[in-house]
Amino acid sequence: SGDGGGGAKSASAALAASLTKSGKVKKVTVVAVGEEAPSDNSPGKGEGDDGKKKDKDKDKAKKDDKREKDKAKQDAAAAADKKEKKEKKRKKKREKAKVLFDYDADGDTELTIKQGWVIDVLAKTNEDWWEGRYKDNVGFFPRNYVEMIDDKSDDDKKPTRRARVLFDYDATGATELTIQTGQIVTVIDDSNPDWMEGQYANAVGFFPKNYVELIDDDDDDGGHNPVAGVFDDDDDDSSSSSSSSDDDDDDD
């Protein structure tokens, strides 16, 4: 009571601090007479900090998880948008030019072109140089080495040429065309000695020239086997031989 009570509490607090500092005890709680001592089950300062840290880590984990999910959604949306734009660009009508003179690229940014090739014109950069593509190769070339292929009326268009696929070929790039034996493809350009550009269904691309054979417009036999004729003569010879043998037996 009075100052005596306050002095006793101060002395007790000093003693508690001294004992805690000496390391003899871990925790000393000083209470006045009549006060209720805190429960031993109540969390200490350290335990409270640990709980806050755990809650903070949990919140951070939730935020990180949400951030990753949002990023995955954004990436998926971006990929879908890129695919759509690429598909629109592929379907967009391409300007084409026919090569008049050979040109050998003088650097990585230029495009080698050969007389007779039909190339895609990507950009008419200036009066002297254009950017084009042939198969997987893209680069610049002299503008006066080519002539644009203009759209013609139905009356002026050349007859559509077609080719029958002799062997399967799986495309190895975006500019190539997968073809299968027996298919009939529309020929777009066959000026290259090794590669032909053609169309099957809605797909357009290049494929090896020796994998197909040109066919006449009146030949619609899509199931024709191009190598079947190899054995026809043998069968005929065998039949003739059999007939001759039978005739000889009859003569005997």
Side-chain angles (χ1 to χ4, degrees):
S1 62
D3 294 339
K9 189 170 183 179
S10 298
S12 298
L15 177 61
S18 176
L19 291 173
T20 304
K21 186 176 182 181
S22 67
K24 293 180 180 180
V25 294
K26 292 184 178 179
K27 180 181 178 182
V28 176
T29 302
V30 179
V31 295
V33 177
E35 290 183 357
E36 184 179 352
S39 173
D40 292 338
N41 295 328
S42 60
K45 184 178 180 181
E47 294 175 355
D49 291 343
D50 290 342
K52 290 180 180 179
K53 186 175 184 302
K54 288 180 180 178
D55 291 340
K56 188 176 181 180
D57 291 342
K58 189 179 293 184
D59 291 340
K60 184 177 182 300
K62 288 182 179 179
K63 289 180 180 179
D64 291 343
D65 184 59
K66 185 176 183 301
R67 190 181 298 112
E68 289 181 2
K69 288 181 178 180
D70 291 342
K71 187 177 184 302
K73 290 180 180 179
Q74 291 175 358
D75 291 343
D81 184 58
K82 183 178 180 181
K83 183 177 180 181
E84 184 179 356
K85 288 181 179 179
K86 186 177 180 180
E87 185 67 15
K88 287 182 179 179
K89 185 176 180 181
R90 187 186 70 82
K91 291 182 178 180
K92 185 179 179 181
K93 195 172 184 180
R94 296 176 297 176
E95 287 189 293
K96 290 183 174 293
K98 186 173 183 178
V99 180
L100 303 177
F101 313 102
D102 292 354
Y103 178 76
D104 294 325
D106 185 18
D108 295 337
T109 60
E110 295 187 2
L111 178 67
T112 293
I113 53 179
K114 299 295 181 181
Q115 183 179 5
W117 285 6
V118 175
I119 63 176
D120 294 327
V121 178
L122 303 180
K124 298 178 181 178
T125 313
N126 54 50
E127 295 181 356
D128 300 321
W129 292 88
W130 284 359
E131 185 180 19
R133 176 179 60 213
Y134 187 76
K135 284 179 59 53
D136 291 327
N137 301 314
V138 175
F140 295 93
F141 57 88
R143 179 263 172 275
N144 57 352
Y145 276 52
V146 303
E147 66 176 358
M148 293 299 297
I149 299 177
D150 297 327
D151 292 333
K152 299 179 179 180
S153 63
D154 293 338
D155 295 336
D156 295 334
K157 286 183 179 179
K158 294 181 179 179
T160 301
R161 291 182 303 161
R162 299 181 301 159
R164 179 181 290 108
V165 180
L166 304 179
F167 312 103
D168 292 352
Y169 179 75
D170 293 327
T172 59
T175 61
E176 295 187 1
L177 178 67
T178 295
I179 53 178
Q180 294 181 344
T181 304
Q183 290 179 343
I184 304 297
V185 298
T186 301
V187 178
I188 297 176
D189 175 38
D190 65 345
S191 56
N192 187 295
D194 301 317
W195 292 86
M196 183 179 289
E197 185 179 17
Q199 177 178 353
Y200 183 77
N202 292 326
V204 175
F206 292 88
F207 49 85
K209 200 169 187 177
N210 57 354
Y211 276 51
V212 302
E213 66 174 357
L214 292 174
I215 60 176
D216 297 331
D217 289 337
D218 56 355
D219 185 357
D220 292 326
D221 183 12
H224 170 68
N225 183 354
V227 297
V230 174
F231 303 100
D232 291 346
D233 293 342
D234 293 340
D235 292 340
D236 292 343
D237 292 344
S238 177
S239 299
S240 300
S241 176
S242 177
S243 298
S244 299
S245 177
D246 292 342
D247 292 342
D248 292 342
D249 292 340
D250 292 341
D251 291 342
D252 292 342

